[in-house]
């Protein structure tokens, strides 16, 4: 897989915006992340622009968040259209439209 970098900024609402950037400088995936009181990351939005979909960028972004931005559990708030995706990559639905996985 190609090497990527991520950048993170805190927006005006206290939510962290993280981008996955490819070697050409394209923003291939964006996540909006908040932290719960235990320090676990909650992805409230995950977006891959249409021209970059199907290449594993969202999964790579989730792995980066899980290993760098959470203490143990990563939760994702899903849209209706992404429910199948999170099930496919092994996340557990813990409530309607909320998925979780653990990282060590």
């Amino acid at each position: 897989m190609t090497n990527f970098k991520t950048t993170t900024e805190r927006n005006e609402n206290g939510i962290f915006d993280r981008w996955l950037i490819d070697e050409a400088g394209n923003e291939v995936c964006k996540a909006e992340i908040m932290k719960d009181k235990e320090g676990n990351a909650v992805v409230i939005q995950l977006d891959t622009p249409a021209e970059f979909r199907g290449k594993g960028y969202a999964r790579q972004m989730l792995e980066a968040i899980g290993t760098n931005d959470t203490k143990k559990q990563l939760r994702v708030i899903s849209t209706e259209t992404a429910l199948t995706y999170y099930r496919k990559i092994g996340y557990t639905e813990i409530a309607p439209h909320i998925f979780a996985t653990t990282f060590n």
Side-chain angles (χ1 to χ4, degrees):
M1 185 173 272
T2 308
N3 291 326
F4 293 89
K5 68 176 185 172
T6 61
T7 61
T8 306
E9 294 179 10
R10 188 175 208 155
N11 71 24
E12 65 276 359
N13 298 318
I15 295 170
F16 294 92
D17 295 325
R18 177 173 277 229
W19 292 269
L20 184 65
I21 302 168
D22 69 10
E23 291 174 332
N26 298 307
E27 293 177 356
V28 297
C29 190
K30 179 185 178 192
E32 291 186 5
I33 309 159
M34 56 184 275
K35 297 277 185 119
D36 67 14
K37 63 184 176 183
E38 287 86 30
N40 292 303
V42 180
V43 177
I44 58 174
Q45 184 173 346
L46 182 67
D47 181 51
T48 302
E51 64 269 27
F52 299 113
R53 291 183 186 156
K55 299 178 181 173
Y57 299 138
R59 184 179 293 196
Q60 188 170 349
M61 174 68 88
L62 291 169
E63 288 174 10
I65 294 166
T67 56
N68 297 311
D69 298 319
T70 198
K71 291 198 177 227
K72 183 176 179 185
Q73 183 184 66
L74 172 63
R75 291 191 313 272
V76 179
I77 300 172
S78 177
T79 61
E80 188 71 30
T81 57
L83 296 173
T84 303
Y85 173 74
Y86 292 111
R87 291 180 185 124
K88 178 179 130 184
I89 64 171
Y91 281 58
T92 302
E93 192 166 8
I94 59 172
H97 295 260
I98 301 174
F99 288 82
T101 194
T102 56
F103 286 84
N104 295 327

